[in-house]
Every structure is written in structure tokens, then in C-alpha cells.
Amino acid sequence: MSSADSASPVASGGGHVCRVYGDEREWAEAVARFVREGLERGERVVYVADVHPPQAVDQVLRERGVDVVAAAGRGQLLVQDVTDSYLRQLPFDPDVVLAGMRAACEEAMGQGFPGVRIASEMHWCAREIPGVERVLEYELRLGREVCADLPVTGLCLFDGASAAVAELPVAVHCPHLPSAPAPQAHPARALPLTVSASPDGPGVRLHGHADLDTRSSLATVLRHVARIPGPVVHVDLAAVSFLDVDALAQLVSATVSLQRDGRRLVLQSPPASLMRAAAMFPDECDVLEIAA
């Protein structure tokens, strides 16, 4: 890892970050450091493998000084395939995965471990896995429903190609820990529209701009918003510089959809561009609920 990584929440314990690695050496160094730190802290460490066979992960750890046999023998280290974890049940279901993660952490704490570290290869997000469209929902809920009240430290691993396909799930992580990604990768900080969990309750906060280039991204975010439980869901637009008419139409459609279920969508701090566009279509936009 680069020197900048030493100050990350991964090093200090707790939190949920990601790593986009450029080559196998960077992957191996990131994995070995993450696992070694967890073992030294007495935590249970789980590695979920996808593109790397579990045997290859074991070998990388041994080559970098981790006593894999001893750690596994005392139940402190588990290396498993993604088909025994995230993809054990298809379609991918965040409800099932998050519940399982909470249960695994509580079990580990019951056995005397102070916390759990989970490193996950997320390359499967770039494949046509049933339910993969709910990965953004999973990433946004993970911090709120697991990491917020349990001693879980998560590290999601992407290579350049998988990060390019799963742009929004990558961008959700805070901080984002980019290495030197492959040319086709898109670092989160460079994306025109990104999303994070709202700090003020159920909802999301958008960052960037919503126009022709980001229509599909906004549609993905609003599909997640519709799944957020509760009578009121917030979409914070304070960090959005511009929304075009199509983005406005998507927000109207999402509002109407929630209202049919007896729920409310509240737009917070919209930019002037949204207000101007809404004034052009007063009848259609009358359904919007806007908070300053």
C-alpha cells in the first residue's frame, strides 16, 4: 500500500473502505497488511475470494509472514470462496447478506474476539450475477446497519476493470483508496455523479451533476432510494451543481412511485437549476416536496 493508506480507517480499525488495485503485487500487499493487522489486534479475519482461489490467498499470506495454519487452527482466520458467502444464495439479496454479517460478528464476539475484519473481492459485481443491481443498496446500507454499531472493519477489493463497471458502489466507500488503476478504471473522485448515505436519516446524498452523462447512474440511485424503508426518504442535493430536465423527470417519477405506497420523498437543498426546471413544468412538479 502507499504511504497515504497508513492513516486510513483500515489501519485504525472499524469502518468500510475500498481498494482499487492496479496489479497482483498491489493486491497481495494490500491483502497481507489488512490480514496481518487484524490478527495482531486479536480480531477474527475473514477473506472472501472470487478471482483468486483460496489456496492462492493462503500462499500470498504465508509468503508475507502470516502463520496461516496457526491462525486458522485457532479459528481466527477464515478464507472462503464468494459462493460460500455473498453468492451462496441467488439472487444476491442485501437483506440476507447483512443479516449474515451481523450474525457472524456477534458469533465472533461471543467467542472472545474483539471484532471482525472482512476483506472481500468484489469482482463479481462486474458480472451478470442475479441480483447484482442491488450491490449499491448493499454498500450504502453496510455502514448504517452493520459498521455503525458493531466492531466490523470492511475492505472491498476491486481491480481496474471491475471498478469501471461498478462505479457507484466503488464511489460509495469513504475514503476511497485508489492505487494506480488500469486505464479503463474510473476513480471515484473523477465520476460526474456519486452517492453516499445521508447522515441525517434514511436517504442518500448526491454529489456532482445529473444530466445526459449520468442518467443511468441517477436511475440506479433512485431504485435504491425506493428500497429504503420508512415513511420518509431524503435525497440531499446540496452537493449537486446541476440537474437537467430528464433528472427532474426521474425525481418526479420516484416521488409519485413512493406516494403510491403511502410514503414521501423529500428533496433537500436543490440547486437553482432544478428550481428553474420545475418552474417550467408546474403541474407535473407539483408533487415534489422540497426542503431548504
Side-chain angles (χ1 to χ4, degrees), residues 224-241:
H224 161 71
V225 167
R227 294 180 181 271
I228 297 175
V232 181
V233 181
H234 298 267
V235 176
D236 188 333
L237 301 173
V240 176
S241 59

Side-chain angles (χ1 to χ4, degrees), residues 200-212:
D200 302 320
V204 297
R205 172 177 289 174
L206 297 179
H207 311 257
H209 58 84
D211 53 19
L212 178 63

Side-chain angles (χ1 to χ4, degrees), residues 2-287:
S2 66
S3 58
D5 296 337
S6 62
S8 77
V10 171
S12 62
H16 172 217
V17 299
C18 85
R19 176 74 186 233
V20 178
Y21 61 88
D23 55 36
E24 290 296 288
R25 179 190 60 79
E26 289 182 5
W27 163 76
E29 291 179 357
V31 168
R33 177 179 178 183
F34 183 80
V35 171
R36 187 164 49 244
E37 286 174 348
L39 296 178
E40 290 173 353
R41 294 173 184 274
E43 299 167 326
R44 172 168 283 169
V45 181
V46 179
Y47 189 94
V48 182
D50 182 19
V51 295
H52 298 94
Q55 298 88 338
V57 178
D58 285 347
Q59 180 177 345
V60 160
L61 294 176
R62 287 195 299 270
E63 290 173 350
R64 285 159 177 77
V66 176
D67 192 338
V68 172
V69 174
R74 59 179 178 266
Q76 193 179 2
L77 175 64
L78 173 64
V79 179
Q80 60 182 185
D81 189 80
V82 69
T83 56
D84 295 319
S85 180
Y86 296 98
L87 306 184
R88 182 187 314 179
Q89 176 179 317
L90 294 177
F92 172 75
D93 187 338
D95 292 332
V96 173
V97 174
L98 291 169
M101 193 171 293
R102 287 190 65 91
C105 183
E106 291 166 355
E107 177 187 9
M109 293 170 64
Q111 295 175 358
F113 295 101
V116 175
R117 283 196 169 214
I118 305 174
S120 307
E121 295 183 2
M122 302 296 291
H123 308 71
W124 56 272
C125 295
R127 302 197 295 270
E128 295 184 2
I129 301 293
V132 73
E133 71 278 359
R134 297 188 68 184
V135 171
L136 175 63
E137 175 189 349
Y138 162 77
E139 296 288 5
L140 284 166
R141 291 173 58 186
L142 179 58
R144 183 176 68 248
E145 298 182 22
V146 178
C147 298
D149 62 348
L150 288 173
V152 175
T153 302
L155 173 64
C156 292
L157 294 159
F158 297 83
D159 63 6
S162 60
V165 175
E167 304 182 311
L168 283 173
V170 169
V172 164
H173 298 77
C174 183
H176 171 65
L177 302 178
S179 60
Q184 67 268 37
H186 302 285
R189 63 179 179 272
L191 296 179
L193 182 69
T194 62
V195 60
S196 60
S198 171
D200 302 320
V204 297
R205 172 177 289 174
L206 297 179
H207 311 257
H209 58 84
D211 53 19
L212 178 63
D213 294 334
T214 60
R215 285 179 182 173
S216 61
S217 295
L218 180 60
T220 299
V221 171
L222 293 179
R223 283 197 297 272
H224 161 71
V225 167
R227 294 180 181 271
I228 297 175
V232 181
V233 181
H234 298 267
V235 176
D236 188 333
L237 301 173
V240 176
S241 59
F242 176 79
L243 291 98
D244 67 5
V245 173
D246 184 82
L248 174 63
Q250 289 195 51
L251 290 170
V252 169
S253 178
T255 299
V256 171
S257 179
L258 264 68
Q259 287 179 347
R260 291 195 188 105
D261 296 331
R263 306 170 64 208
R264 294 163 51 208
L265 179 67
V266 177
L267 306 180
Q268 294 180 291
S269 305
S273 56
L274 183 143
M275 303 306 293
R276 289 194 298 268
M280 296 170 59
F281 306 96
D283 294 338
E284 293 83 352
C285 296
D286 185 58
V287 298

